[in-house]
Amino acid sequence: MKRHKTKGLIALAFSAVLLAACATTPTLYAPQTGPRGAGYSEYRLEAGRYRVTFQGNPGAPVNQVSDYALLRSAELALRDGYDWFRVADRVTQQTGSGGGSSLSIGGGSGSYGRRSGVGLGVGTSFNLGPGPAVSSSMEVVFGKGKPPSGADVYDARAIVRTVGQGRAAV
């Protein structure tokens, strides 16, 4: 009976570890509160030019992190009296392990007195963690009036409307 209870407790503990490994903290749009915390930060390079960074929690989708960096850029542009912004430089980085599975094969031999034996084992491992943490950093240049054409030019009001309202659904 005691052995049965021990096996049950081991199975329960293993299940709890699996669930904890799969849990992720949602990435919310907010200022970054610590050097490794999730959120946005900005650095003013000169008038009308900023370096904007958004750090996501582990497992946050790359698109969400990039959209939040764009949203912060749009908010800064509007706050400073500009209509649009251009992304002059963009860097997306991942920290931590994305994981994956691995397969290992091992063998051994031994003897005890007149007896000897050979063993062969096969094992697998799976990374059940939330995945890597993603950060998006961009240098943005603000402008007024009609925006120039270009793939990296954004209307600040449109970004706030689409990304800003879209994050409420996340």
Side-chain angles (χ1 to χ4, degrees):
M1 181 81 165
K2 194 173 188 179
R3 180 182 270 180
H4 180 69
K5 284 184 180 180
T6 303
K7 285 183 179 179
L9 288 175
I10 291 172
L12 181 63
F14 183 71
S15 297
V17 168
L18 283 176
L19 284 173
C22 293
T24 61
T25 304
T27 297
L28 303 176
Y29 182 77
Q32 190 175 32
T33 57
R36 293 198 174 129
Y40 60 79
S41 62
E42 68 268 346
Y43 179 77
R44 185 177 180 258
L45 300 169
E46 62 184 12
R49 183 182 289 260
Y50 281 84
R51 166 75 54 196
V52 177
T53 302
F54 193 91
Q55 172 69 49
N57 281 319
V62 174
N63 289 343
Q64 179 188 27
V65 172
S66 295
D67 285 352
Y68 283 179
L70 286 173
L71 178 58
R72 184 60 185 157
S73 299
E75 289 174 343
L76 291 170
L78 294 174
R79 182 195 72 189
D80 291 355
Y82 294 96
D83 301 311
W84 55 269
F85 64 96
R86 179 177 57 86
V87 177
D89 183 39
R90 184 185 318 231
V91 176
T92 301
Q93 296 177 320
Q94 292 187 3
T95 56
S97 173
S101 60
S102 65
L103 174 68
S104 57
I105 300 173
S109 65
S111 63
Y112 180 73
R114 293 183 180 183
R115 297 179 186 217
S116 63
V118 176
L120 179 66
V122 177
T124 61
S125 68
F126 301 94
N127 183 349
L128 299 175
V134 177
S135 77
S136 179
S137 183
M138 52 186 66
E139 183 177 329
V140 293
V141 180
F142 301 151
K144 294 182 180 182
K146 184 179 181 207
S149 61
D152 285 332
V153 177
Y154 298 89
D155 180 302
R157 284 177 188 78
I159 293 294
V160 169
R161 270 193 313 273
T162 56
V163 176
Q165 291 177 1
R167 71 184 172 87
V170 173

